[in-house]
Amino acid sequence: MAAAVVDSAMEVVPALAEEAAPEAAGLSCLVNLPGEVLEYILCSGSLTAADIGRVSSTCRRLRELCQSSGKVWKEQFRVRWPSLMKHYSPTDYVNWLEEYKVRQKAGLEARKIVASFSKRFFSEHVPCNGFSDIENLEGPEIFFEDELVCILNMEGRKALTWKYYAKKILYYLRQQKILNNLKAFLQQPDDYESYLEGAVYIDQYCNPLSDISLKDIQAQIDSIVELVCKTLRGINCRHPSLGFKAGESSMIMEIELQSQVLDAMNYVLYDQLKFKGNRMDYYNALNLYMHQVLIRRTGIPISMSLLYLTIARQLGVPLEPVNFPSHFLLRWCQGAEGEGIDQSYQLLRDSLDLYLAMYPDQVQLLLLQARLYFHLGIWPEKSFCLVLKVLDILQHIQTLDPGQHGAVGYLVQHTLEHIERKKEEVGVEVKLRSDEKHRDVCYSIGLIMKHKRYGYNCVIYGWDPTCMMGHEWIRNMNVHSLPHGHHQPFYNVLVEDGSCRYAAQENLEYNVEPQEISHPDVGRYFSEFTGTHYIPNAELEIRYPEDLEFVYETVQNIYSAKKENIDE
């Protein structure tokens, strides 16, 4: 009987929501229902926020049920934005109707800003001052972030440009928040030392979309400490470290007792849990992130030392970090505090300059200096020439060792972007396929290609009628050995391994089985993947206005013909 009443009411409510003057009999039937039933109906999920607003205006009884701080508007908020509920305490008074309005407004503002970014920053990476609009937004930042996450989670292969810039903005917001925490951490007095906290901030900064917290990482380390204590108990059941409480800062001065702790730690970390250094893939960034080190039980000297130091200090053993030229080590203080540590990061740049003055052809040092310049944003003309020299050397190395493609691709991408920014200072360059000087260009932006020699899949995002790189690059890449040399079209391509390359036309061919290219910058240039090709966004189409028509013709000829052959 109760179910029948509810079903009947569910049919009445939408009618009440749509009619300005509901029939008296229908309204009477609804409002005479028990309050719990009415609340259940209004929270069932079948009514929108607009429906609730109209229902609450019909009579006093429904208006009281739909009060702004009540369960009905709370449920509307929860259903619309479930991930935000973790920010509210069950004991807090919340005006859910007002929260709904503020969140809705923040979402509209977020979409407006995301839509503007492609037009404003297509020709360069978004500069720091490009986020000024975001910093001046009204309302809670968590609402704005939540809308960006909603954009990133949009299904399908469309809105790629929106997703690209939503990710950029979300990175910026979260990294700024982490930077503020890191600055506050660095302002702590000298006697406040928590290397783990600093490492977690760096981990969060480099992985802003991951759920990383000091609390979770500390809990994992505490579980390792428990294992060490269990082993230590077998060595010395009266060891003072066994009585330490969580968060307690105590040091053991006896060398023999310290040695017992270190023996137990070594057994647990290296024999029981199998922590190890990553010799095979030393430069993998995962070796540096504490949450990944704990998951993979693999790291490099600095991350493994940090883990070791944290556990040792929790058990009362004083260790100090020592920054050696090519390694990061720990010093066992053996009861005495060591000297302070030099915090001068300027030393790295000065040391590189000195080394390169003595050994100007050291490729690895040139690469390290180029990366330092990139990350610090240093772009004087001299350093720009230096980077070009580094790229020339590394391009040659890549032909001998393909394993170098990651470093080369990173630097090539940033160098080409810098060159493009220089070009933008004199206006946007528009390339027309109908222009006589472009008559030899065979492929267009958005097409999925395959490299004939190296076999990688890629998508074209730009082209030149002839090779535009310098003479050293052409010589080191052995371009002259190609049948058409450098006097042929060259294409900027995004490669599936995440690199950006500059490929000769004769080395490219259509990919007969096109697939989506997993590259972080796809959304910067394209708005959608159709299954056979990418559609350029408005900014890229301005630069290549005649390419899209050619793409459609190519897709029709290549992939339709293939489908007909399969059908036959």
Side-chain angles (χ1 to χ4, degrees):
M1 181 65 182
V5 172
V6 172
D7 290 342
S8 175
M10 290 292 289
E11 295 174 359
V12 174
V13 172
L16 288 173
E18 294 176 2
E19 298 176 10
E23 296 180 3
L27 179 60
S28 175
C29 174
L30 181 63
V31 298
N32 288 333
L33 291 173
E36 295 84 354
V37 175
L38 277 174
E39 193 173 72
Y40 175 81
I41 294 171
L42 295 172
C43 294
S44 64
S46 61
L47 301 179
T48 66
D51 293 333
I52 297 297
R54 289 192 288 265
V55 166
S56 64
S57 66
T58 56
C59 67
R60 180 181 299 175
R61 178 100 191 280
L62 292 175
R63 184 165 61 252
E64 290 174 352
L65 278 172
C66 298
Q67 59 181 307
S68 59
S69 59
K71 185 177 179 181
V72 174
W73 278 110
K74 179 180 180 180
E75 185 64 13
Q76 282 289 321
F77 189 93
R78 185 195 68 80
V79 171
R80 183 74 182 276
W81 303 292
S83 62
L84 291 175
M85 297 304 294
K86 64 184 178 183
H87 298 288
Y88 297 93
S89 170
T91 59
D92 291 343
Y93 171 83
V94 180
N95 186 325
W96 292 106
L97 174 57
E98 187 62 27
E99 290 292 285
Y100 192 101
K101 292 178 179 178
V102 174
R103 171 60 182 84
Q104 181 79 354
K105 181 179 178 181
L108 295 175
E109 284 294 316
R111 288 176 175 264
K112 180 180 177 182
I113 289 176
V114 170
S116 71
F117 262 52
S118 181
K119 185 175 182 179
R120 293 162 59 192
F121 304 116
F122 178 80
S123 298
E124 59 178 337
H125 278 295
V126 184
C128 292
N129 59 8
F131 296 97
S132 57
D133 294 345
I134 301 167
E135 296 172 348
N136 298 326
L137 283 175
E138 298 180 0
E141 190 174 285
I142 56 171
F143 287 177
F144 191 78
E145 287 189 15
D146 187 66
E147 186 64 29
L148 296 174
V149 172
C150 290
I151 293 173
L152 287 176
N153 293 333
M154 291 168 60
E155 295 183 359
R157 298 164 172 174
K158 298 184 178 181
L160 298 181
T161 299
W162 273 51
K163 292 178 183 178
Y164 175 82
Y165 286 104
K167 186 176 181 179
K168 289 277 187 186
I169 296 171
L170 189 58
Y171 259 67
Y172 174 80
L173 287 175
R174 293 188 175 177
Q175 287 180 332
Q176 287 299 113
K177 190 185 304 180
I178 296 164
L179 276 179
N180 292 334
N181 294 335
L182 184 57
K183 289 176 182 177
F185 168 76
L186 295 175
Q187 294 301 317
Q188 297 287 346
D190 293 339
D191 58 353
Y192 178 85
E193 288 187 351
S194 176
Y195 296 105
L196 180 64
E197 184 177 350
V200 171
Y201 284 137
I202 294 172
D203 195 346
Q204 291 173 334
Y205 184 85
C206 296
N207 303 280
L209 302 187
S210 299
D211 187 13
I212 302 167
S213 70
L214 177 61
K215 180 180 178 182
D216 291 340
I217 290 179
Q218 184 64 62
Q220 295 179 65
I221 292 177
D222 288 343
S223 67
I224 298 176
V225 171
E226 291 179 9
L227 293 176
V228 175
C229 287
K230 184 178 179 180
T231 301
L232 186 60
R233 193 173 287 109
I235 300 174
N236 181 357
C237 63
R238 296 184 178 181
H239 197 286
S241 295
L242 298 175
F244 289 172
K245 296 180 180 179
E248 193 174 75
S249 179
S250 300
M251 286 295 164
I252 301 169
M253 304 311 296
E254 293 81 358
I255 302 302
E256 180 60 29
L257 293 177
Q258 291 183 13
S259 179
Q260 292 174 358
V261 172
L262 297 179
D263 288 341
M265 286 178 55
N266 291 338
Y267 172 75
V268 171
L269 287 172
Y270 306 120
D271 293 337
Q272 187 175 348
L273 299 180
K274 306 296 182 184
F275 275 86
K276 62 183 184 300
N278 195 342
R279 294 182 179 181
M280 302 301 295
D281 194 10
Y282 186 90
Y283 294 101
N284 190 328
L286 298 181
N287 297 326
L288 290 170
Y289 305 143
M290 287 308 300
H291 78 287
Q292 288 291 343
V293 170
L294 291 168
I295 292 172
R296 301 163 66 238
R297 299 183 182 178
T298 303
I300 54 176
I302 189 169
S303 56
M304 296 294 288
S305 294
L306 179 59
L307 175 62
Y308 199 94
L309 180 148
T310 302
I311 296 173
R313 287 197 170 187
Q314 285 188 218
L315 295 172
V317 178
L319 300 178
E320 286 187 344
V322 180
N323 191 11
F324 272 62
S326 298
H327 298 282
F328 190 90
L329 307 176
L330 290 178
R331 184 173 83 92
W332 181 13
C333 301
Q334 299 189 358
E337 291 295 330
E339 299 179 355
I341 301 170
D342 184 7
Q343 299 280 341
S344 177
Y345 298 106
Q346 183 65 28
L347 181 61
L348 174 60
R349 185 180 171 192
D350 293 341
S351 299
L352 284 172
D353 290 342
L354 178 60
Y355 266 97
L356 288 170
M358 297 185 293
Y359 309 105
D361 295 326
Q362 290 290 320
V363 174
Q364 291 301 325
L365 293 179
L366 285 169
L367 173 60
L368 184 57
Q369 187 184 53
R371 285 186 167 182
L372 180 64
Y373 275 56
F374 277 127
H375 289 297
L376 295 180
I378 302 171
W379 272 106
E381 287 306 312
K382 183 178 179 181
S383 68
F384 180 64
C385 295
L386 172 64
V387 172
L388 288 179
K389 181 179 179 181
V390 172
L391 293 180
D392 288 338
I393 296 171
L394 289 176
Q395 290 286 10
H396 179 60
I397 292 175
Q398 185 180 356
T399 61
L400 302 176
D401 180 11
Q404 292 283 351
H405 69 77
V408 174
Y410 174 82
L411 292 174
V412 167
Q413 178 182 353
H414 283 267
T415 302
L416 292 176
E417 286 171 354
H418 180 71
I419 294 172
E420 287 298 320
R421 287 197 295 274
K422 290 293 185 181
K423 292 180 180 178
E424 288 301 319
E425 295 176 1
V426 295
V428 174
E429 180 183 7
V430 177
K431 297 180 179 178
L432 303 175
R433 296 186 62 85
S434 58
D435 195 318
E436 178 63 20
K437 63 183 179 181
H438 299 152
R439 66 181 183 276
D440 294 329
V441 177
C442 295
Y443 307 128
S444 299
I445 57 170
L447 289 176
I448 309 296
M449 310 298 292
K450 191 177 189 69
H451 198 280
K452 296 178 182 178
R453 181 177 180 184
Y454 298 120
Y456 60 72
N457 298 313
C458 59
V459 57
I460 297 173
Y461 71 95
W463 49 258
D464 297 310
T466 59
C467 181
M468 301 299 290
M469 297 299 282
H471 294 297
E472 288 190 38
W473 185 92
I474 291 173
R475 184 180 65 253
N476 288 332
M477 289 301 294
N478 206 21
V479 173
H480 292 299
S481 67
L482 297 173
H484 296 91
H486 68 283
H487 296 296
Q488 63 173 307
F490 272 69
Y491 298 83
N492 300 104
V493 296
L494 303 176
V495 184
E496 57 192 346
D497 63 6
S499 63
C500 300
R501 306 196 186 188
Y502 198 49
Q505 179 167 279
E506 65 184 75
N507 282 336
L508 295 175
E509 62 182 356
Y510 294 117
N511 191 325
V512 295
E513 295 181 355
Q515 55 187 291
E516 207 165 353
I517 303 298
S518 298
H519 192 286
D521 280 348
V522 162
R524 180 178 180 182
Y525 302 103
F526 303 102
S527 61
E528 179 183 347
F529 178 63
T530 66
T532 57
H533 63 283
Y534 280 91
I535 296 179
N537 59 24
E539 286 65 43
L540 188 61
E541 191 172 1
I542 289 174
R543 289 153 176 79
Y544 300 91
E546 297 177 351
D547 271 37
L548 193 56
E549 182 179 353
F550 181 84
V551 169
Y552 289 145
E553 293 177 3
T554 302
V555 169
Q556 183 69 22
N557 294 334
I558 300 297
Y559 302 116
S560 296
K562 180 189 172 187
K563 185 176 184 301
E564 291 175 2
N565 292 334
I566 293 175
D567 293 339
E568 291 176 359

